[in-house]
Amino acid sequence: MTIIRSTLCLAACLLAANASAIDLKGLSSTGLKAGKALTLSDAEVSAAADQACTYMDKENQVVSGNDPYAQRLAKITQGLANEDGLNLNFKVYRTADVNAWAMANGCVRVYTGLMDMASDDEVRGVIGHEIGHVKLGHSKTKMRTALLASAGREGLAASGNGNLTQLSQGQLGELAEGFINAQFSQKEESAADEYGYQFMKRHSYDPAALASMFRKLSSDGGLMSSHPGSEARAARIDAMIKKDKK
């Protein structure tokens, strides 16, 4: 399906210094509608994330609990359901795409394509990075931007009360795609990298796995290799490890 074309936020969101990959669709002519989306409360953004995550779970093949991928992810994420004040839930999507993402409501999804190329600690590094985006507020901002750009902004503006229950399946699809395909800024990515590094240390996982994951993404010869920032980010993690050892 088209929604899951996006690459792993660790690499897919690497380089957009200003930017969102979302087409804002001429919002200059819909200023009032844009303004409504921008003033959505955190609770409304979380409600949008609930619906977008539910939509994604229906549109993708969720791996069942007795599947080896699900069992492996359960092992990898053991003890992480309540992480740093966040209530998280984890599922695996069966797809060759190399991807993972987290929404503001604590919905964390990992793709089998990522798990196939990563060690357990590398998957943990990815998850720690994604949790960082949630904890640092980046995911809420990203969902607001997706709401701003999605067809749902029409109904939100018209309702006057941010009634997200009015979103159609088509609007939810556009919202989910907008969220997953949007890019974080370089500053946000760096902050999430550092959070991921501290996450690895806090749980006594190997922080070097975060750097090795970046290098795998940089050298896999596929879509990820188009993101030259991966090596630089790996080197930054190496520098953090070296500094801590001193």
Side-chain angles (χ1 to χ4, degrees):
M1 59 171 287
T2 58
I3 288 177
I4 55 176
R5 295 170 310 192
S6 62
T7 60
L8 168 66
C9 282
L10 265 172
C13 309
L14 286 177
L15 303 174
N18 297 305
S20 165
I22 298 173
D23 176 4
L24 293 182
K25 302 179 180 178
L27 286 177
S28 59
S29 64
T30 57
L32 290 176
K33 296 169 185 176
K36 173 58 193 174
L38 287 173
T39 59
L40 288 170
S41 69
D42 286 352
E44 289 171 325
V45 172
S46 183
D50 286 342
Q51 293 192 56
C53 188
T54 298
Y55 176 89
M56 287 296 291
D57 286 352
K58 289 179 180 178
E59 291 295 308
N60 290 276
Q61 185 179 354
V62 177
V63 172
S64 63
N66 60 354
D67 185 278
Y69 283 107
Q71 292 177 352
R72 182 184 171 205
L73 186 65
K75 174 186 173 185
I76 287 171
T77 60
Q78 186 174 3
L80 298 181
N82 296 289
E83 173 63 23
D84 200 6
L86 301 172
N87 293 320
L88 305 174
N89 68 89
F90 302 90
K91 291 182 182 179
V92 182
Y93 289 168
R94 191 182 302 281
T95 170
D97 293 342
V98 179
N99 198 8
W101 44 263
M103 292 187 181
N105 63 338
C107 166
V108 182
R109 300 297 181 259
V110 181
Y111 294 14
T112 55
L114 169 67
M115 296 181 72
D116 286 342
M117 70 181 295
S119 69
D120 286 358
D121 271 351
E122 286 170 342
V123 174
R124 290 184 179 110
V126 171
I127 289 171
H129 174 95
E130 298 303 328
I131 291 172
H133 280 308
V134 174
K135 187 66 181 179
L136 297 170
H138 306 158
S139 295
K140 284 183 179 178
T141 300
K142 192 177 176 185
M143 182 59 74
R144 282 193 176 95
T145 303
L147 279 165
L148 178 68
S150 74
R153 71 185 188 276
E154 303 279 345
L156 287 167
S159 71
N161 61 6
N163 186 357
L164 294 170
T165 62
Q166 297 181 7
L167 295 179
S168 68
Q169 285 298 296
Q171 290 168 339
L172 280 173
E174 189 174 0
L175 173 62
E177 184 172 10
F179 175 84
I180 294 170
N181 288 333
Q183 293 180 326
F184 293 112
S185 69
Q186 286 183 344
K187 183 178 180 180
E188 289 170 331
E189 288 295 343
S190 293
D193 288 349
E194 186 166 353
Y195 183 97
Y197 175 77
Q198 296 300 331
F199 164 88
M200 297 294 280
K201 287 179 56 183
R202 184 165 65 249
H203 289 283
S204 299
Y205 305 144
D206 181 9
L210 189 54
S212 63
M213 189 71 226
F214 279 127
R215 291 193 169 95
K216 283 184 178 180
L217 295 172
S218 180
S219 63
D220 72 344
L223 191 58
M224 306 303 174
S225 61
S226 66
H227 296 278
S230 294
E231 179 57 41
R233 291 169 74 181
R236 186 166 177 260
I237 299 299
D238 289 341
M240 292 180 191
I241 295 171
K242 185 176 181 180
K243 181 179 179 180
D244 281 346
K245 285 182 177 179
K246 290 181 178 179

